[in-house]
Amino acid sequence: ILTPDRLIRGVKTLPLDWTPFQRSLTILHKRWTAIQKEVDSFRKKNNLSPTDPIDPKTIEKLQNSIPNAPRKLNILIMGGSVTMGVVCHLNPVTTQTGKYSRRACAWPGRLNTFFPYLFGYYDLVNIDSLALGGTNTESGRTIWDYSILPDEIPYPDILINGYATNDMHYNSVQDAIKRNVTLEQSVFELSQSFIRQVLTPK
């Protein structure tokens, strides 16, 4: 049960157009259906029940053997040094286990590790990270505007802005002071400009 106040605030955060969400879910569903078909066929051939576990490596082989498999959902994460994973590899937990490099230790790398577990080892999502230390949303807007993306990164279905830390940088504060606006107003305008840039068809 929601209070009227929370309901109003909740509605304000909902997207006005659900089409992009529907498109993303359709991409996921098509690929999931294709993989599930192969898994069901494997279960039938090996007399396995729907609840019998299948080794993750077997699932990987099954989904790699699908001819003309529907594509994955492409997610691009753009950000600064935090997104890049600077100092992340010095985390005591990480250094004790010794299993993460700086990039893999960063949150985009961990997200990439998490998704297969979330989807039952079905490889549905492709995550690319375009992170560079010292950059902020304004840098990201320029990168997007001039299409300065590596050739190996596919056009994203979902774009995540990971510049928040650098948007609150000392230089951003000084820029807001020069323009006689608050830091909150400056960051809001910058974020709004970035979103409009991304949503503008090329």
Side-chain angles (χ1 to χ4, degrees):
I1 298 174
L2 294 175
T3 63
D5 179 55
R6 287 194 64 189
L7 178 61
I8 291 171
R9 281 185 287 151
V11 171
K12 283 182 180 178
T13 60
L14 292 176
L16 296 176
D17 181 10
W18 282 93
T19 306
F21 291 89
Q22 183 180 1
R23 190 183 309 121
S24 297
L25 289 174
T26 299
I27 293 168
L28 286 172
H29 185 259
K30 281 182 179 178
R31 185 167 175 83
W32 180 87
T33 301
I35 297 172
Q36 187 62 44
K37 186 177 179 182
E38 290 296 313
V39 170
D40 289 342
S41 178
F42 177 83
R43 287 185 183 280
K44 189 174 181 180
K45 287 178 184 176
N46 293 276
N47 297 316
L48 297 175
S49 72
T51 57
D52 288 333
I54 299 177
D55 181 68
K57 290 192 175 182
T58 301
I59 293 178
E60 184 180 356
K61 288 179 182 177
L62 289 171
Q63 56 193 0
N64 289 339
S65 67
I66 302 173
N68 301 317
R71 73 175 181 87
K72 303 175 190 177
L73 182 73
N74 293 317
I75 298 177
L76 174 61
I77 302 171
M78 299 176 71
S81 55
V82 173
T83 304
M84 191 176 175
V86 172
V87 190
C88 181
H89 65 299
L90 298 180
N91 183 311
V93 175
T94 304
T95 51
Q96 283 172 15
T97 59
K99 65 178 181 178
Y100 289 115
S101 64
R102 187 174 80 176
R103 291 276 183 178
C105 172
W107 68 267
R110 292 176 184 254
L111 190 63
N112 208 19
T113 303
F114 169 71
F115 271 128
Y117 289 100
L118 178 66
F119 297 127
Y121 298 103
Y122 288 12
D123 191 12
L124 305 180
V125 177
N126 173 62
I127 298 179
D128 287 298
S129 177
L130 185 62
L132 184 63
T135 56
N136 62 4
T137 295
E138 188 170 4
S139 310
R141 187 178 61 188
T142 303
I143 290 170
W144 186 266
D145 186 28
Y146 289 95
S147 301
I148 312 174
L149 298 174
D151 293 336
E152 64 271 17
I153 294 182
Y155 192 85
D157 301 297
I158 295 174
L159 176 61
I160 298 176
N161 180 322
Y163 292 112
T165 304
N166 286 356
D167 285 344
M168 303 295 284
H169 191 270
Y170 173 81
N171 291 339
S172 301
V173 175
Q174 295 306 305
D175 179 63
I177 292 172
K178 284 180 184 177
R179 295 192 294 118
N180 198 29
V181 296
T182 65
L183 179 60
E184 181 182 4
Q185 287 174 310
S186 180
V187 171
F188 178 79
E189 289 170 6
L190 189 59
S191 300
Q192 199 172 49
S193 175
F194 176 81
I195 293 169
R196 286 184 174 139
Q197 184 73 50
V198 170
L199 293 179
T200 302
K202 286 188 174 289

